[in-house]
Amino acid sequence: MTTPAKPSTGSGSRPGLGSRPGPGSGSRPGPGFGPGPGAERLDALDQGLVQALMIDGRAPFSRIAEVLEVSDQTVVRRYRRLRTSGLIRVVGLALGSRVGLFESWLRVQCAPDAALAVAEALARRPDISWVKLGSGGTEINCLTKARTRQDRDGLLLDKLPRTRRVTGVSAHTILRVYTGGPTQWCGLDTLRPEQVAALRRPPVAHGQERYTLDEAELALLAVLAQDGRAGYPELARASGLSESTARRRLDRLRELQALYFDVELVPSTLGFEAEATLMLTAEPARLAEVGAALAGHPEVPFAAAVTGTANLMAAVVCRDTDALYTYMTERIGSVPGIRHVEVIPTLRNIKRAGMLVEGGRLVDPPPAP
């Protein structure tokens, strides 16, 4: 996940980075929809590199350098600075719907004096990849990815209800993802169309059958979840495979769309300070239409159909609360078929894509006991 909308970076100030009139969907962002004062941390070249990695997280640095029209050394140096400072992380993740993970979006209500401690405890669990604190410090939102139904039910029916100071839990099964995961987000729009085309991997036809991961592949994924650009020698050591076999396995998982690569960062890195989760109720006959509309909004890095009284949820990132208001009134308000919207402001990011957030930067979680 990166940032919404095309940042105002001064197109033409860097070689190879051109401007376009709007996001990739062709829609027009609302007024005030641009990065705030914090955006100077990533300049135009940094943003071009981030977008290139969003398109192909394992693209060779030499190819990225050629597309960005800079030297290989410049790309390597920029990436290492962004990676080691915790500003970005390339991650390789299993696609839950393809490998049989049980994915749920949880809303956990807590007493105000216990919410942070409960959120931090949830963030330490390896089966929970996202944790946010919101709603005045009394609600935790998190995304679970359990390998078995028993693991999921144990968390929902046993561990959370018995946790002291937890006053309520609701679980929403993710039914269909409209944007996020392997679907490239339209929010970052720094590269020119021909640069995007030069980086995009050719589409691969695949079936819809579920793929069962073996132990070697689970070991590969454990490494890639921490570093999506891990080298084949490291992947081979972790999985017990030869380097050539590890390469073939990784390529096969990508072809089957059981594995995808993404770039994670904290939105405030680019000056986007207003985050919220939207729980939307859409007319059933227009659910897919509303989901597709949300997927085309540059403010929305993730949107999915879910179970529950609300049938859609979306993560929204804007420059500030004024921009969030504009988004709600002008963009959400103009989508036909939406009956009701609940806005849950994010007070703090605790965990993102499996990594902890400390001081606005991504850090590795401690090893599981």
Side-chain angles (χ1 to χ4, degrees):
M1 175 265 173
T2 52
T3 61
K6 181 176 189 292
S8 176
T9 55
S11 61
S13 60
R14 291 280 182 180
L17 301 180
S19 62
R20 290 192 283 173
S25 62
S27 58
R28 193 174 190 80
F33 182 64
E40 68 273 10
R41 284 201 243 175
L42 297 190
D43 63 16
L45 181 55
D46 289 334
Q47 292 174 47
L49 173 57
V50 170
Q51 187 180 355
L53 292 169
M54 288 177 63
I55 297 168
D56 184 358
R58 287 187 69 88
F61 285 134
S62 58
R63 181 149 60 94
I64 295 176
E66 181 180 359
V67 168
L68 298 182
E69 300 173 18
V70 296
S71 68
D72 295 10
Q73 294 83 354
T74 296
V75 169
V76 171
R77 184 173 63 251
R78 291 289 185 120
Y79 174 76
R80 286 178 177 169
R81 175 179 61 81
L82 295 172
R83 170 66 162 79
T84 57
S85 61
L87 294 179
I88 71 166
R89 181 77 66 94
V90 177
V91 290
L93 304 172
L95 183 59
S97 60
R98 292 285 286 151
V99 302
L101 296 179
F102 293 86
E103 297 180 309
S104 299
W105 179 257
L106 305 186
R107 300 182 66 178
V108 182
Q109 285 74 40
C110 299
D113 61 345
L116 181 57
V118 173
E120 291 175 340
L122 288 170
R124 290 192 290 269
R125 293 180 59 95
D127 57 349
I128 293 181
S129 55
W130 293 76
V131 181
K132 296 180 178 182
L133 186 63
S135 287
T138 60
E139 179 171 322
I140 302 163
N141 298 150
C142 55
L143 179 64
T144 68
K145 295 188 176 186
R147 289 181 58 185
T148 67
R149 189 184 302 273
Q150 290 75 19
D151 289 343
R152 181 201 61 185
D153 293 349
L155 174 65
L156 298 181
L157 303 178
D158 182 32
K159 294 179 181 178
L160 274 175
R162 288 169 41 184
T163 301
R164 291 185 57 196
R165 312 290 282 172
V166 169
T167 59
V169 180
S170 61
H172 306 264
T173 300
I174 295 176
L175 302 176
R176 176 69 55 86
V177 175
Y178 296 109
T179 187
T183 305
Q184 187 186 344
W185 182 34
C186 67
L188 197 61
D189 193 32
T190 299
L191 301 180
R192 302 189 303 270
E194 64 269 21
Q195 292 174 304
V196 172
L199 289 163
R200 196 178 300 281
R201 289 167 55 86
V204 177
H206 62 87
Q208 297 299 315
E209 68 278 1
R210 185 167 293 177
Y211 182 80
T212 302
L213 299 166
D214 63 23
E215 291 302 318
E217 290 164 341
L218 289 170
L220 289 177
L221 288 170
V223 175
L224 294 170
Q226 297 296 316
D227 181 5
R229 294 190 65 87
Y232 292 107
E234 182 180 356
L235 295 174
R237 287 193 300 271
S239 62
L241 303 172
S242 67
E243 289 186 31
S244 60
T245 302
R247 182 190 296 269
R248 287 195 299 271
R249 289 289 189 96
L250 189 152
D251 290 342
R252 177 64 173 160
L253 291 174
R254 296 188 80 177
E255 290 172 1
L256 293 171
Q257 292 194 353
L259 167 67
Y260 69 95
F261 291 90
D262 199 3
V263 179
E264 188 53 56
L265 55 75
V266 179
S268 59
T269 299
L270 287 177
F272 293 89
E273 301 294 346
E275 296 182 59
T277 298
L278 307 186
M279 302 300 295
L280 307 100
T281 303
E283 298 171 10
R286 308 188 80 164
L287 179 60
E289 178 186 345
V290 174
L294 293 176
H297 291 178
E299 296 90 346
V300 179
F302 181 83
V306 295
T307 58
T309 54
N311 52 15
L312 279 167
M313 66 84 59
V316 173
V317 185
C318 296
R319 183 186 65 191
D320 52 30
T321 53
D322 284 341
L324 177 60
Y325 172 82
T326 298
Y327 174 70
M328 294 299 302
T329 56
E330 297 186 8
R331 305 296 294 281
I332 291 294
S334 65
V335 177
I338 295 178
R339 293 177 175 176
H340 180 265
V341 182
E342 179 185 3
V343 182
I344 308 168
T346 299
L347 300 183
R348 183 183 299 185
N349 287 288
I350 308 295
K351 190 177 188 181
R352 297 181 67 91
M355 290 161 290
L356 300 180
V357 181
E358 296 181 359
R361 297 172 186 266
L362 304 169
V363 299
D364 290 323

